[in-house]
Amino acid sequence: MGLFSEIWNSVKNKNRSIDVSGYSALFSAEASLGIKSVALEACVTYLARLISKGKFVFKDGNSIIASDFDYALNVKPNPNQTASEFKIAMVKKLLNGELLVVKDGDRFYVADNFITHYSLNGNSFSNVFINFDENNVVLSDSGLSTQKYFEKVFTQGVDCFHLTNDNIELQKYIDSLWKDYGKMFGILITNQLRVGQLRAKIDIPVNSKLDDDERKKLQRRFATTLFEKMKRDPVVFIPADGPSKSSYEEISANKSASLQNQITDFGNLRKVFIGEVAGLLGIPPALVLGETANNSENLDLAIEAAAIPLGNKLSEGFTSLLIRKSGYKVGKTLEMTGFKTINILDRADAIDKVGSSGVIKINEVREAAGLSPIEDGDRIIMTKNYTKEGENSENS
């Protein structure tokens, strides 16, 4: 339900005396949208940065091979973005719902807007807009135009690929629980605004007598006005019944000052939001919150549960564009690796054992360590202590 729908429903509500103006719905929605944006942006940005460290690698079997698209995917996919910016844009689009990547020659773009045409033979996409700068929007005869507009129609698997976010639980969570947390956050803000508020009683003599109906109307008017002022004004005068002459009595702010400062509650509520979203994305909340305890283990969990699955989806999308069916049959693949930088000095013993035992090739060891392949690296080396008597120490 949208913001204005909430306001309209609050106005139509039978109990109109509570909030005819719709201010409560507006206030709650504003608080909800604010903290929702912070939590989602924190978690999605962290995951996007993690995946941006990955590198697309073309392989023939277990051997890394060169490709004409190495530069585009790992250095500069288009004139306006680096590879890292491009990967971050892809992840954010995908996690927000859907992603369309279009291929224009040897360039790749993330679409901002498009129209989908569904077909059993492959969906097609028209009216594809690309916008690298949200401020770069101009008004033309056809309406708002972005920086780049493709007049051609793109076809799935031919010159584009389209992915959707299959994390249904995340979408359900966003739709059902943000409103409840927003109400809680709105209450915290309201309470915080009242901390230290100066209030005073004031008596105003009334010479004429009022009948019961007029007195009730006046009380309701005072109550509404007073409630609004207490929410926004630093100093509030409270009408009170008293003697016939005017008087003023200041209420000490000590009582208000004694209320617990709820700024810390904001931080705790933010942690609740981030924890929920991070859990649904497969990221340990401690990573997003910047906590250093068990950081290495948490990073391994995030890579295994979140980065690798998303990396596989992106790799499959590019595979459908860049590798033909005939090539795939003979073992050509496209993978995304290198999400974690490994300190080779700390892992020297493990690297030595796995490399010298003849289990995997040199370039495979380098790939696992986050290093680029070398020209003569697609061979196996086995040291003498791992070989049988009479065998060569090096097998290629």
Side-chain angles (χ1 to χ4, degrees):
M1 183 181 292
L3 170 62
F4 294 101
S5 298
E6 289 193 48
I7 297 176
W8 176 243
N9 287 336
S10 67
V11 174
K12 292 193 300 182
N13 194 289
K14 293 181 180 180
N15 192 5
R16 296 187 179 186
S17 61
I18 296 178
D19 184 23
V20 177
S21 65
Y23 178 80
S24 296
L26 178 63
F27 184 79
S28 178
E30 182 180 3
S32 174
L33 290 174
I35 197 167
K36 169 186 174 181
S37 177
V38 170
L40 279 176
E41 185 66 20
C43 296
V44 171
T45 299
Y46 182 89
L47 183 55
R49 288 201 306 264
L50 180 60
I51 293 179
S52 70
K53 295 172 61 179
K55 181 180 180 180
F56 289 103
V57 177
F58 290 84
K59 287 187 174 182
D60 187 355
N62 292 325
S63 301
I64 299 176
I65 60 175
S67 171
D68 294 336
F69 296 100
D70 280 330
Y71 181 83
L73 295 184
N74 295 309
V75 181
K76 201 171 187 61
N78 58 68
N80 295 293
Q81 288 179 307
T82 64
S84 295
E85 292 173 334
F86 181 70
K87 293 169 189 173
I88 289 175
M90 286 195 298
V91 174
K92 287 189 174 182
K93 285 289 185 182
L94 179 56
L95 293 180
N96 283 326
E98 58 181 340
L99 164 68
L100 176 65
V101 174
V102 297
K103 179 178 177 291
D104 184 30
D106 58 351
R107 299 175 179 180
F108 298 91
Y109 299 92
V110 176
D112 290 292
N113 294 288
F114 52 88
I115 297 176
T116 306
H117 306 278
Y118 298 96
S119 171
L120 293 177
N121 295 322
N123 297 338
S124 59
F125 307 89
S126 62
N127 294 76
V128 177
F129 285 90
I130 311 295
N131 187 24
F132 296 104
D133 185 359
E134 295 180 356
N135 297 320
N136 189 10
V137 179
V138 296
L139 183 62
S140 63
D141 295 337
S142 59
L144 292 177
S145 298
T146 52
Q147 184 172 349
K148 177 67 176 177
Y149 169 66
F150 288 103
E151 295 183 358
K152 64 178 293 187
V153 177
F154 295 89
T155 304
Q156 174 84 316
V158 178
D159 49 11
C160 73
F161 69 85
H162 179 263
L163 301 174
T164 57
N165 184 12
D166 57 0
N167 195 336
I168 300 176
E169 293 302 321
L170 177 62
Q171 298 299 328
K172 289 182 178 179
Y173 175 80
I174 292 174
D175 293 338
S176 63
L177 294 185
W178 288 134
K179 180 189 287 187
D180 295 336
Y181 280 124
K183 290 179 180 179
M184 295 170 55
F185 190 66
I187 293 173
L188 291 175
I189 292 179
T190 303
N191 292 338
Q192 184 62 32
L193 291 175
R194 291 201 302 265
V195 172
Q197 184 184 65
L198 178 62
R199 302 172 189 171
K201 292 181 180 179
I202 182 171
D203 291 330
I204 302 176
V206 179
N207 296 327
S208 60
K209 295 183 178 180
L210 302 176
D211 56 31
D212 291 340
D213 290 339
E214 291 178 343
R215 185 179 298 277
K216 290 180 180 179
K217 291 180 181 179
L218 185 61
Q219 289 175 346
R220 284 197 296 269
R221 191 181 307 120
F222 274 144
T224 302
T225 303
L226 180 62
F227 178 70
E228 295 296 329
K229 284 184 171 293
M230 289 179 65
K231 288 195 296 184
R232 64 174 184 265
D233 294 350
V235 179
V236 179
F237 293 107
I238 304 176
D241 296 332
S244 58
K245 65 179 182 178
S246 299
S247 65
Y248 171 85
E249 176 188 359
E250 182 173 314
I251 300 176
S252 174
N254 292 335
K255 183 176 181 180
S256 297
S258 64
L259 296 175
Q260 181 181 2
N261 191 318
Q262 296 176 343
I263 290 295
T264 55
D265 292 340
F266 295 165
N268 293 333
L269 188 59
R270 173 178 171 270
K271 290 183 178 181
V272 172
F273 270 83
I274 290 178
E276 295 286 352
V277 178
L280 291 173
L281 290 175
I283 308 172
L287 290 175
V288 184
L289 296 173
E291 299 174 2
T292 58
N294 299 323
N295 189 60
S296 180
E297 295 179 5
N298 287 331
L299 182 57
D300 291 338
L301 289 174
I303 292 174
E304 186 68 27
I308 292 179
L310 279 178
N312 289 339
K313 293 191 70 171
L314 297 177
S315 298
E316 291 168 357
F318 281 108
T319 298
S320 67
L321 287 183
L322 306 179
I323 298 179
R324 296 182 179 180
K325 185 177 181 179
S326 57
Y328 183 81
K329 285 183 177 181
V330 296
K332 292 183 178 180
T333 57
L334 172 60
E335 298 178 5
M336 196 175 189
T337 61
F339 299 110
K340 183 178 181 180
T341 302
I342 298 177
N343 189 330
I344 59 175
L345 297 179
D346 294 338
R347 305 289 182 90
D349 291 339
I351 291 174
D352 175 66
K353 289 181 180 180
V354 74
S356 60
S357 61
V359 176
I360 59 178
K361 298 178 181 179
I362 298 174
N363 277 340
E364 290 176 320
V365 178
R366 293 179 63 84
E367 179 185 348
L371 301 174
S372 59
I374 58 178
E375 184 176 354
D376 191 31
D378 289 320
R379 58 193 177 91
I380 292 176
I381 293 179
M382 183 180 294
T383 56
K384 292 182 179 180
N385 56 318
Y386 284 102
T387 59
K388 294 180 181 180
E389 185 177 355
E391 290 184 352
N392 294 328
S393 61
E394 181 174 321
N395 298 320
S396 57

